[in-house]
Amino acid sequence: MAGQKMSQQEIQARFDAETAAAYSQRKPLWLPEHDYAMRLVLKVLESYLPDSARVVDLGAGTGNLSRRILKALPDCHVTLVDFSRNMLNEAPRLLAAFDGRYRIMLEDFWRVEFPAGEYDGVVASFALHHGRGRPFTGTCIEKSMAGSRSGGLCLL
Ligand SMILES: C[S@@+](CC[C@H](N)C(=O)[O-])C[C@H]1O[C@@H](n2cnc3c(N)ncnc32)[C@H](O)[C@@H]1O
């Protein structure tokens, strides 16, 4: 209905119905500066994280951002978190060159618990807007901070 936000189930169903293979190839028309934004994210990560960083990508989808991170930080490891099996199923194809340097978690990022201090960096691209305002975003930031080592980086 107009003006109403989608439920979590509707969001999941929407991404489970996405043509995942096409998703990773597209240049989003709705965001002409997409490439520029991605490059800025990488600049920040490269400046603050070691090459061997452990990074978690929330709402990773097919792995668009994860792939860029894996390329930019030669010894890093990326954990992709997403609740759409359809989107994640595409990730191994996209990340084939990085076997052994990533893992996939089929999880709702509002509920997932990270071991304390597990990550050097927590990132999300075009995913957290699927939340429901402050309680969701606050929870996500708290979980991300808990999962980051002291001095780690959250780029959400
Ligand atoms: C617009 S896509 C962005 C994908 C990727 N980050 C990128 O930049 O290409 C949003 C992704 O967030 C995921 N997502 C949305 N809400 C989620 C939630 N609560 N838990 C896990 N994944 C979620 C969707 O399944 C989808 O894959």
Side-chain angles (χ1 to χ4, degrees), residues 8 11-12 14-16 23 26 30 34 38 57-65 81-84 87-88 107-111 124-131:
Q8 290 295 95
I11 294 167
Q12 192 171 8
R14 176 234 184 279
F15 284 103
D16 276 339
Y23 192 89
R26 71 178 187 173
W30 45 270
H34 179 263
M38 291 287 108
D57 183 0
L58 303 176
T62 56
N64 283 329
L65 176 59
V81 178
D82 204 289
F83 66 2
S84 167
M87 296 291 272
L88 287 177
E107 291 277 0
D108 183 332
F109 57 56
W110 305 121
R111 294 174 204 273
S125 61
F126 309 108
L128 299 193
H129 60 283
H130 292 301

Side-chain angles (χ1 to χ4, degrees), residues 36-47:
Y36 176 65
M38 291 287 108
R39 277 187 275 122
L40 277 184
V41 169
L42 291 182
K43 245 187 187 172
V44 174
L45 296 183
E46 283 168 329
S47 305

Side-chain angles (χ1 to χ4, degrees), residues 8-87:
Q8 290 295 95
Q9 288 78 9
E10 286 168 331
I11 294 167
Q12 192 171 8
R14 176 234 184 279
F15 284 103
D16 276 339
E18 180 77 53
T19 308
Y23 192 89
S24 11
Q25 285 160 16
R26 71 178 187 173
K27 283 193 187 286
L29 290 175
W30 45 270
L31 192 59
E33 300 298 342
H34 179 263
D35 210 52
Y36 176 65
M38 291 287 108
R39 277 187 275 122
L40 277 184
V41 169
L42 291 182
K43 245 187 187 172
V44 174
L45 296 183
E46 283 168 329
S47 305
Y48 287 96
L49 295 182
D51 282 353
S52 60
R54 297 184 64 82
V55 179
V56 60
D57 183 0
L58 303 176
T62 56
N64 283 329
L65 176 59
S66 297
R67 175 173 53 175
R68 290 172 189 251
I69 296 170
L70 286 159
K71 257 192 201 160
L73 301 174
D75 295 318
C76 76
H77 186 277
V78 178
T79 300
L80 289 80
V81 178
D82 204 289
F83 66 2
S84 167
R85 191 182 295 278
N86 172 52
M87 296 291 272

Side-chain angles (χ1 to χ4, degrees), residues 116-138:
E118 175 96 342
Y119 299 106
D120 300 293
V122 182
V123 298
S125 61
F126 309 108
L128 299 193
H129 60 283
H130 292 301
R132 295 289 168 277
R134 186 177 286 210
F136 277 93
T137 312

